[in-house]
Amino acid sequence: MKQEVKAFIASLHNDTSAMRDAFAPDDYYMRRVSHFARLNVGRGDIVMLGDSLINGCEWHELLENPLIKNRGINGDTVEGVRQRVEGIMQGKPAKVFLMVGINDVSHNIASHAIAYSIVALVDYLHSLSPGTQVYVHSLLPFDSTVYFSSLTDKEGDVRHINTLLSEAAEEFDYTFIDLYAHFATPDGTINAEYSNDGLHLTGSGYALWARLLQPYINE
């Protein structure tokens, strides 16, 4: 798989171009980026990086750790994260926990292109700060019948992305954290206890995530 991902990164073929073309930063994204530019990330800090699933939680309070910094943006994509990480990584944080990709799924990007682009993003993080430990979360299950029709029939894409991310972890020097199995019902949708809109998490969902995350925060 390593050669496949490296070839994908090097080629910048149509799937990657599609991801870049699909990225259109809105006003909220630009406000968050301008806000983050005025905040410091330093050595010893732990960065939660990604989309609305990251943005929606007060991580430092939930995990009772003042070193945790939230760098999530609603609606963000793999390309959106890539375009804003340089300033974050200049601070040489101790750890980065990444959750991104579901918005790319909703934009009809091929599942292998999303997974490989996440791995390419991890590779970029390593190049910016080689001493930072990188953790990649699996994508979560969802229930498109509740609200997010753009995800209809894309459950298989999410599972494929998670499989590829798990397989690439050792070769690309990151820790894969499987959240999917803990949030999914037997039919593969997100447990209603953890989401009231079929995608984003309630307090119970974040509490579960925090319990699963705590060992990685502490190690």
Side-chain angles (χ1 to χ4, degrees), residues 165-213:
L165 291 177
S166 176
E167 291 175 350
E170 184 175 356
E171 289 181 315
F172 286 88
D173 192 25
Y174 63 85
T175 300
F176 178 73
I177 302 175
D178 180 17
L179 299 181
Y180 184 96
H182 299 274
F183 282 82
T185 64
D187 67 0
T189 60
I190 191 166
N191 190 318
E193 178 184 352
Y194 303 131
S195 176
N196 64 355
D197 68 359
L199 178 63
H200 299 103
L201 300 183
T202 61
S204 295
Y206 281 116
L208 173 58
W209 189 345
R211 289 196 299 273
L212 298 170
L213 200 60

Side-chain angles (χ1 to χ4, degrees), residues 9 41 47-50 71 78-100 117-137 172-175:
I9 295 169
V41 171
V47 177
M48 303 297 294
L49 178 63
R71 294 297 183 268
V78 180
E79 177 63 18
V81 172
R82 189 192 68 81
Q83 290 196 19
R84 63 185 176 88
V85 294
E86 187 172 347
I88 294 170
M89 301 307 288
Q90 283 177 347
K92 311 300 180 186
K95 300 179 180 182
V96 169
F97 289 86
L98 180 66
M99 166 65 89
V100 70
S117 294
I118 292 171
V119 176
L121 173 58
V122 172
D123 193 58
Y124 185 44
L125 297 178
H126 285 317
S127 72
L128 294 171
S129 181
T132 299
Q133 294 177 261
V134 179
Y135 301 78
V136 176
H137 292 99
F172 286 88
D173 192 25
Y174 63 85
T175 300

Side-chain angles (χ1 to χ4, degrees), residues 1 5 44 57 70 94 96-97 100 102 143 152 162-164 189 200 204 218:
M1 183 176 182
V5 176
C57 182
N70 188 329
V96 169
F97 289 86
V100 70
I102 194 63
D143 186 348
T152 300
N162 290 341
T163 296
L164 293 175
T189 60
H200 299 103
S204 295
N218 294 341

Side-chain angles (χ1 to χ4, degrees), residues 9-29:
I9 295 169
S11 68
L12 298 178
H13 62 52
N14 290 335
D15 284 326
T16 304
S17 298
M19 295 184 77
R20 291 179 176 173
D21 291 344
F23 175 64
D26 59 14
D27 291 341
Y28 180 76
Y29 176 94

Side-chain angles (χ1 to χ4, degrees), residues 21-96:
D21 291 344
F23 175 64
D26 59 14
D27 291 341
Y28 180 76
Y29 176 94
M30 298 308 299
R31 287 196 300 271
R32 289 287 279 179
V33 169
S34 68
H35 176 51
F36 294 153
R38 294 176 176 271
L39 303 176
N40 292 324
V41 171
R43 296 181 185 274
D45 284 345
I46 298 169
V47 177
M48 303 297 294
L49 178 63
D51 53 31
S52 58
L53 290 163
I54 293 292
N55 191 20
C57 182
E58 304 304 327
W59 294 102
H60 66 290
E61 293 180 278
L62 187 60
L63 290 163
E64 299 181 339
N65 189 328
L67 294 176
I68 297 176
K69 306 294 178 66
N70 188 329
R71 294 297 183 268
I73 298 182
N74 293 352
D76 212 353
T77 62
V78 180
E79 177 63 18
V81 172
R82 189 192 68 81
Q83 290 196 19
R84 63 185 176 88
V85 294
E86 187 172 347
I88 294 170
M89 301 307 288
Q90 283 177 347
K92 311 300 180 186
K95 300 179 180 182
V96 169

